[in-house]
Structures are given as structure tokens and as C-alpha cells.
Amino acid sequence: MYNIYEAPFLRELCDTTANMYRLGWDERNGGNISYRLKQEEVAPYLDLSRVLRTLPLDFDAGELAGELFLVTGTTKYFKNVAKCPQNNTGILRVAEGGHTVEILWGYEDGSRPTSELPTHLMNHIVRLRADPDHRVVLHCHPANTVAMTFVHELDDRAFTLTLWRMMTECLVVFPEGVGVLPWMVCGNTEIGAASAEKLRDRRVVIWAAHGIFGAGRDMDEAFGLVETVEKAAEIYNLIGTRPILQSITDAELLRLADAFHLVPRAGYLQA
Ligand code: 2HA
Ligand code: ZN
């Protein structure tokens, strides 16, 4: 067996959590990440037949049976992940039947996966239906995006259009738009199901007065989505209540989509 502390997937999670902490997106124990791992990339580092513990799931994750995930731990601080990944993260497998997860590595101080595990797994289910190469779900609390949910209407289309108009890159990075949920209690299957509904045909969902989820084929894609939304929200907040003298028009956004061979979400822009 190779040393798991040198595994590229674990190094990547450590780098990402440290980076997110430094950006101020993950105060205290805020935020969580789940990274779908391929059996062949984990097998050199871990005996996949050795189950350390099993934990119940209160929904049916049967579609993910046999899938492996590297998941940050509940109550754990992103700032501490890199120096002690074995206590702050773990590797789990969704068991046959989809009502339990098997812990294969990590959570060594007796801890457990993130309280947002239902949302993560439900999001993985819908994203995998949309894209078999999907791998990462990432959640955090970036201040500008959260601030925007207090002063902007929480309609998917209106919110998306404002973000698209703040910065040219936005339409290019998320042509399918973002989903927005009103405030809800977090850490349960209800918010998980509501998030998954939004992510069926999008890769970003924003939780009002809480934070954001990004999904992608790799860490860079999920991170890049969050980073781009947060930058656009920052611009929105910098503008504040000052009158906007010029912006990007719908016709210009359509020209942009055309130039990059992208299809903006149907019905959002007026020709
Ligand atoms: O505590 O971010 O949503 C981690 C969270 C909960
Ligand atoms: Zn959160």
C-alpha cells in the first residue's frame, strides 16, 4: 500500500480547504466538500474491503451504491484540514441498498461526515444523471454572495441576470444560470432535496442568508463556479445603490454567447 497522505486526491482536498479558508469563505466550521473518488485511484492507498464503521442515511442513496467519496467532517474547521486530514475528513462508501454509508478511512477522532451529507449525496445523484463525469460538490459561506441574498429578489432568473450583467465572464462560466433557495433550516434532507431540484440542470445553488454550493467534474470547476459568482456578487455590492449608467444589454449577452458557442438558459434573455 502507498501512503495515503501522499494521495493526489487528499492533497487536492487539503489545498482546496486551505485556499477557501484563506479567502474567508469558511469561518469556523463553515463549509464542506465531497469528492467522488474512483475505485482505481483509491485502491493503491486503502484496503477497500475493511469497513471501520457504518452510519445511517435517512434517505435512499441507492443510486450511489458502491460509490466512494472523500468528505469533510462535521464540526471541523477548514483551516485545520491540511495539518490533520485523518481527523477532519474521511473516505466513505455508499452501501448496497443506499441507506447506510461505510467509513473506510479517516474521522479518526470518532467524528462523522458533514451535517450536509444529505445535500451532498442528493446533489451527486442529480449531477451524475446529468453528467457521468461529475465528481465534486463544494459548499461555503462567501460574504458577498450571502450579502446579495438580503437585497436582491431570490428569483432564479432575476438573480442570474444580475450576475451575468456584473461581469462578462459570468455568462461564459455558468450559461445555465444559478438556482436560489429562500432561507431554510440546513443540515437535513428537505434542503437537500430542494437543492438537488435546482441542480438537476445547473451547477450552482445559492442558499439565502447562508451560502453557496458549486458542483463540477473536478475541484477546479466547482471552485471556479463559486469564485466567479462571488466576484460578480462583490461587484454588485461595490455598486450598491449608486445609479447604473451602463451595463451589458441582453443583445450583448446574446452576442457573447454566440461568440463562445454557448446556449444561455432558455427564456432568460430577451432577443
Ligand atoms: O457547518 O456549512 O451548512 C457546516 C456548514 C453547514
Ligand atoms: Zn453552510
Side-chain angles (χ1 to χ4, degrees), residues 30-32 116 139-141 207 210:
N32 26 77
E116 304 296 358
H139 168 62
C140 58
H141 305 158
W207 289 357
H210 183 142

Side-chain angles (χ1 to χ4, degrees), residues 163-164 167-176 203 225 228 253 256-264:
L163 293 173
W164 282 353
M167 190 169 75
T168 302
E169 200 66 11
C170 286
L171 176 84
V172 178
V173 174
F174 49 93
E176 79 274 37
R203 293 163 297 153
L225 281 162
T228 308
L253 286 169
L256 178 67
D258 208 39
F260 284 82
H261 310 292
L262 298 164
V263 183

Side-chain angles (χ1 to χ4, degrees), residues 41-186:
E41 75 186 325
V42 190
Y45 300 97
L46 193 63
D47 176 1
L48 295 172
S49 68
R50 212 169 132 250
V51 176
L52 306 175
R53 278 188 278 160
T54 60
L55 298 171
L57 285 177
D58 60 355
F59 68 99
D60 180 1
E63 249 180 276
L64 298 174
E67 292 285 352
L68 298 163
F69 294 93
L70 172 61
V71 184
T72 53
T74 186
T75 75
K76 300 304 189 186
Y77 292 28
F78 270 24
K79 78 181 175 67
N80 298 337
V81 170
K83 65 179 175 228
C84 191
Q86 68 273 31
N87 283 353
N88 293 294
T89 72
I91 296 175
L92 59 84
R93 177 170 54 212
V94 177
E96 276 315 310
H99 284 283
T100 49
V101 293
E102 302 166 330
I103 307 299
L104 303 176
W105 177 83
Y107 311 119
E108 281 182 10
D109 56 358
S111 59
R112 306 156 63 92
T114 170
S115 60
E116 304 296 358
L117 189 63
T119 294
H120 280 261
L121 294 182
M122 287 176 170
N123 286 346
H124 282 292
I125 289 172
V126 293
R127 290 312 306 156
L128 276 167
R129 282 183 201 154
D131 176 7
D133 293 326
H134 158 81
R135 294 185 69 185
V136 175
V137 171
L138 173 156
H139 168 62
C140 58
H141 305 158
N144 285 289
T145 304
V146 176
M148 191 169 157
T149 67
F150 287 83
V151 294
H152 196 285
E153 64 176 303
L154 301 180
D155 170 71
D156 295 338
R157 176 173 180 264
F159 210 95
T160 296
L161 284 173
T162 298
L163 293 173
W164 282 353
R165 287 180 185 130
M166 287 300 117
M167 190 169 75
T168 302
E169 200 66 11
C170 286
L171 176 84
V172 178
V173 174
F174 49 93
E176 79 274 37
V178 301
V180 190
L181 288 180
W183 185 87
M184 294 172 76
V185 174
C186 57

Side-chain angles (χ1 to χ4, degrees), residues 151 235-244:
V151 294
I235 295 168
Y236 177 82
N237 293 331
L238 283 171
I239 295 168
T241 55
R242 286 180 294 172
I244 290 181

